Amino acid sequence: MVAETLTRIAEFTIDGITQGLVLALLGLGITIVFGLGGVLNLSIGVFAFLGVIVALELLGITGNLLVSAVLAVAIVTLFGLVVDKSLLSLVYRSEGEERILLGIFVTLGLAIFLDGLLFISYPSSYSLSFGIPSTTIAGVQIRGSSIGIILISTVILTALYLFFSRTYLGGATRTVMQDETGAVLCGISPRKMRTFVFALSVAIAAIAGILYSTTQSVYAATGFELTILALIVSIVGGVTSIVGAVVAGLALGIIATFTSAYVGAYVAEIALFAVAVIALLLQPEEIA
């Protein structure tokens, strides 16, 4: 009985880490854009769903998921660049709270517009599969999708850590996030950095959407759900903290998995919102 309980806990923990890594990627996409440019991107979930749809369309042409996923991320990222150069250019002309409010309305409007188009064009539910078989280690069953997500997410998060901590471009990005005036004096263009970071966040969102679709079916409304999850992760992580977003994603993934398993999916959603509210109460100055 004890061995069976421990096995279930181990399986739930692995599932929680799997979900948490996807949440960490989504939260990271929100965090880096807000931290650098003061824009709360409420369309990030739509970019995630777009990644899935484009990958599915390309899969019918290439017949290879890896190739289709890479091309899909590239295409969605290019679309993100178009959004940055058009809609966000208007947002970045404003400053302070005005920029935040304008960013919310612009990205929310974009999300609603794209959601409508996607719902009309893709009304069904969709999913992808790595084709990796499940495996059992010490009596603990690990799903193939979990193996794929853990491996890919770990590589991506490690690459992002090395980028932000070891490269000149990553250092320039962090400089703008911490001191925009100082960055300008050092010859760094905040606008170029914002364009780069927004494109990076869109690429991360597309990857997260593709990974998410290997664990469950997604549909047009999933974009809004993923945006809410990304916001919760970013809030719990401190909004502008990259490391905080990753830690928060993992923690919330584990909390959601265990709560859903023992209490129910509905209560799990409430638990996530409750954690976000507690974070707001404990660190209001950081989030403000």
Side-chain angles (χ1 to χ4, degrees):
M1 185 66 178
V2 175
E4 182 180 345
T5 301
L6 292 176
T7 298
R8 291 185 63 190
I9 291 175
E11 291 176 347
F12 290 150
T13 301
I14 293 172
D15 289 343
I17 292 173
T18 300
Q19 182 178 352
L21 286 169
V22 175
L23 292 179
L25 290 172
L26 289 168
L28 192 59
I30 286 276
T31 296
I32 58 177
V33 173
F34 185 79
L36 186 66
V39 173
L40 197 59
N41 182 16
L42 298 184
S43 61
I44 192 167
V46 180
F47 286 115
F49 182 67
L50 272 175
V52 178
I53 294 302
V54 177
L56 277 170
E57 294 288 356
L58 291 173
L59 186 60
I61 300 173
T62 66
N64 184 290
L65 178 58
L66 178 60
V67 173
S68 300
V70 171
L71 290 175
V73 171
I75 292 172
V76 175
T77 301
L78 287 175
F79 176 63
L81 282 172
V82 173
V83 171
D84 176 85
K85 291 298 185 180
S86 55
L87 296 177
L88 291 189
S89 290
L90 302 175
V91 175
Y92 287 133
R93 292 175 185 173
S94 56
E95 298 290 340
E97 293 184 359
E98 183 182 348
R99 177 187 293 179
I100 294 175
L101 290 173
L102 187 58
I104 289 174
F105 284 117
V106 168
T107 57
L108 180 59
L110 175 64
I112 294 172
F113 173 71
L114 292 177
D115 272 340
L117 290 180
L118 290 170
F119 182 78
I120 294 172
S121 304
Y122 300 93
S124 304
S125 59
Y126 308 90
S127 62
L128 294 167
S129 174
F130 290 123
I132 302 175
S134 299
T135 185
T136 302
I137 301 176
V140 178
Q141 186 177 23
I142 306 174
R143 293 182 293 179
S145 58
S146 296
I147 296 172
I149 289 174
I150 290 173
L151 290 176
I152 295 172
S153 298
T154 300
V155 170
I156 292 173
L157 290 173
T158 301
L160 289 171
Y161 169 77
L162 293 175
F163 167 75
F164 282 112
S165 62
R166 304 290 177 84
T167 68
Y168 172 79
L169 187 57
T173 302
R174 288 187 293 108
T175 300
V176 176
M177 292 177 72
Q178 296 166 3
D179 184 4
E180 183 173 327
T181 302
V184 173
L185 293 175
C186 291
I188 300 172
S189 171
R191 183 65 185 95
K192 290 182 179 179
M193 289 296 101
R194 288 176 186 133
T195 295
F196 169 76
V197 165
F198 187 79
L200 179 62
S201 74
V202 169
I204 293 173
I207 293 171
I210 292 171
L211 295 179
Y212 184 81
S213 70
T214 64
T215 62
Q216 52 189 302
S217 297
V218 298
Y219 46 96
T222 301
F224 176 75
E225 297 173 6
L226 292 179
T227 296
I228 296 300
L229 291 173
L231 282 172
I232 292 174
V233 171
S234 184
I235 289 171
V236 174
V239 180
T240 59
S241 172
I242 294 174
V243 174
V246 176
V247 173
L250 287 170
L252 290 172
I254 292 174
I255 290 172
T257 299
F258 275 90
T259 306
S260 179
Y262 288 104
V263 184
Y266 179 72
V267 178
E269 294 180 5
I270 295 176
L272 293 181
F273 279 102
V275 173
V277 171
I278 293 173
L280 285 169
L281 294 175
L282 293 179
Q283 50 184 12
E285 69 287 341
E286 294 182 25
I287 294 172

